[in-house]
Amino acid sequence: MPAPITSATSQPKTPLPPSRQGKKALTGYFDPAVLKQIKMMAAAEETTIQALMTEAMNDLFKKHGKPHIA
């Protein structure tokens, strides 16, 4: 007898870590050199890619006269 078909929604959800609760993912497609460079910058500054992306988003918001919310 074949195994029953289950949907992705029938699986129990793994709780999100507190740092991700109430947040949404933001993605984009870039040249591989972009990822390599941001990884190198994060390592050189002893920080995370997340922190560098937050800084970049807030700089963009500032440039356009928007509040820093990232």
Side-chain angles (χ1 to χ4, degrees):
M1 178 179 248
I5 299 172
T6 60
S7 70
T9 57
S10 67
Q11 300 295 326
K13 288 189 172 185
T14 304
L16 291 173
S19 62
R20 291 188 182 178
Q21 290 179 2
K23 306 260 172 74
K24 294 285 186 179
L26 177 65
T27 61
Y29 291 89
F30 300 94
D31 188 279
V34 174
L35 180 58
K36 182 178 180 180
Q37 185 162 289
I38 200 162
K39 284 182 175 182
M40 291 171 58
M41 289 174 65
E45 296 183 24
E46 296 182 348
T47 191
T48 63
I49 292 172
Q50 177 76 34
L52 291 176
M53 296 303 296
T54 298
E55 179 183 348
M57 296 302 292
N58 281 326
D59 286 348
L60 180 65
F61 295 149
K62 180 180 179 179
K63 176 183 173 184
H64 291 275
K66 303 293 182 189
H68 290 198
I69 57 173

